[in-house]
């Protein structure tokens, strides 16, 4: 019985972070730490990728774009799934902060998606002889960018915040179907895009140094995403909760600086 009581207390203590008032200062406290981690890991990852990793025997030096391209592509898909998760939580549990987190994540996911497409084009020109082909992987990745842009445009166009949250959540949840299509497209269709170099079920097909640099860059991208999302959600919270007493006190404190 005592163990059940302790679990219930821990559950309640975690649920309190679903309150925008409680989460606001926590986000402000953690964001600089994640930003610092992202900066350090980015420097290390880029150094390994561009100065330590060996030259690829097939692609030469141009392959080094993967140290930016692959983590960006991973994050563009992962961020969208996290957006869909928070949207589902918001719809089911009616938690305001969940919708705010989804909105805070969207611009970062869109940037990563654009970087993945842009760096993929830079890699494609010397490899395929063209910047763009209507390949299954590229086309589904481009669709992901349109989903991000559509989500942001729709949530900004609807003045009523609750309606905007629910409309955006529907786009996020429906669009999540595209993420496994992106990932498995190289297996499902005849595509120019190479298969995954890193797999859970298979040994990596690249040198250890290359893999290390790529994974460090992926962790850096994740830390950056958390930092920016925390910084971005704070003004969203202040805007949404502007009629509450605690926001009035916080704005006064910020204005007195």
């Amino acid at each position: 019985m005592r163990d059940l009581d302790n679990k219930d207390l821990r559950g309640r203590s975690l649920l309190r972070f679903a309150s925008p008032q409680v989460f606001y200062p926590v986000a402000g406290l953690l964001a600089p730490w994640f930003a610092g981690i992202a900066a350090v890991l980015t420097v290390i990852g880029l150094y390994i990728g561009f100065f330590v990793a060996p030259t690829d025997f097939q692609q030469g030096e141009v392959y080094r774009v993967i140290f930016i391209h692959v983590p960006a592509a991973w994050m563009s898909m992962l961020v969208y799934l996290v957006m869909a998760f928070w949207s589902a939580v918001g719809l089911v549990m009616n938690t305001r902060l969940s919708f705010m987190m989804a909105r805070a994540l969207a611009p970062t996911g869109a940037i990563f998606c654009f970087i993945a497409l842009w760096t993929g084009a830079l890699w494609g020109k010397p490899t395929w002889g063209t910047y763009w082909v209507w390949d299954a992987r590229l086309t589904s990745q481009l669709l992901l960018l349109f989903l991000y842009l559509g989500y942001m445009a729709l949530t900004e166009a609807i003045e009523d915040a609750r309606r905007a949250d629910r409309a955006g959540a529907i786009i996020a949840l429906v669009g999540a179907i595209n993420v496994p299509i992106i990932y498995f497209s190289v297996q499902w269709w005849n595509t120019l895009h190479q298969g995954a170099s890193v797999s859970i079920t298979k040994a990596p097909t690249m040198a250890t140094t290359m893999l290390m640099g790529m994974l460090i860059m992926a962790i850096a991208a994740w830390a950056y995403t958390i930092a920016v999302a925390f910084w971005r959600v704070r003004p969203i919270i202040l805007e949404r909760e502007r009629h509450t007493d605690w926001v009035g006190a916080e704005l006064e404190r910020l204005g007195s600086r």
Side-chain angles (χ1 to χ4, degrees):
M1 183 66 72
R2 184 174 297 176
D3 290 340
L4 291 175
D5 291 340
N6 290 336
K7 289 181 180 179
D8 184 57
L9 288 173
R10 286 195 295 269
R12 290 181 181 179
S13 65
L14 290 175
L15 283 175
R16 69 189 182 91
F17 289 105
S19 167
Q21 182 177 357
V22 175
F23 187 76
Y24 178 85
V26 174
L29 179 66
L30 294 179
W33 287 96
F34 281 104
I37 293 171
V40 172
L41 291 181
T42 298
V43 172
I44 295 173
L46 290 177
Y47 177 76
I48 293 174
F50 286 90
F51 298 102
V52 178
T55 301
D56 186 81
F57 74 97
Q58 287 182 326
Q59 302 180 44
E61 298 294 344
V62 72
Y63 93 95
R64 297 185 190 278
V65 75
I66 70 169
F67 293 103
I68 298 174
H69 171 74
V70 174
W74 285 347
M75 288 307 302
S76 68
M77 293 185 285
L78 184 58
V79 170
Y80 198 92
L81 290 179
V82 175
M83 276 177 53
F85 167 78
W86 283 124
S87 297
V89 171
L91 290 174
V92 174
M93 303 185 66
N94 197 30
T95 50
R96 303 189 308 278
L97 184 60
S98 298
F99 293 121
M100 297 180 199
M101 284 301 301
R103 285 204 183 196
L105 286 164
T108 303
I111 290 172
F112 276 123
C113 193
F114 175 79
I115 291 174
L117 290 167
W118 177 59
T119 53
L122 293 179
W123 176 83
K125 179 62 175 177
T127 305
W128 297 338
T130 181
Y131 289 109
W132 180 266
V133 292
W134 289 103
D135 177 89
R137 170 65 65 84
L138 274 65
T139 304
S140 53
Q141 184 73 28
L142 180 62
L143 177 59
L144 182 64
L145 178 60
F146 290 153
L147 286 168
Y148 274 119
L149 297 177
Y151 173 91
M152 291 186 289
L154 181 62
T155 52
E156 290 295 328
I158 301 175
E159 294 184 2
D160 184 84
R162 292 185 178 181
R163 287 180 55 213
D165 287 339
R166 281 158 176 74
I170 293 173
I171 288 183
L173 291 172
V174 173
I177 300 173
N178 187 51
V179 174
I181 294 175
I182 296 173
Y183 185 80
F184 291 107
S185 59
V186 293
Q187 301 176 26
W188 292 346
W189 294 287
N190 183 20
T191 171
L192 286 174
H193 200 286
Q194 69 185 57
S197 300
V198 180
S199 173
I200 298 175
T201 58
K202 299 178 182 178
T205 59
M206 60 175 61
T208 302
T209 309
M210 298 178 185
L211 178 62
M212 184 183 304
M214 188 183 299
L215 292 179
I216 289 174
M217 287 296 293
I219 297 172
W222 187 229
Y224 168 83
T225 300
I226 295 174
V228 173
F230 281 175
W231 270 321
R232 191 176 287 122
V233 79
R234 281 165 59 86
I236 295 175
I237 290 174
L238 293 180
E239 172 64 24
R240 293 287 191 91
E241 304 290 304
R242 62 185 181 277
H243 299 302
T244 61
D245 293 336
W246 77 267
V247 169
E250 176 66 15
L251 292 176
E252 287 183 6
R253 185 184 69 83
L254 294 174
S256 64
R257 286 185 176 182

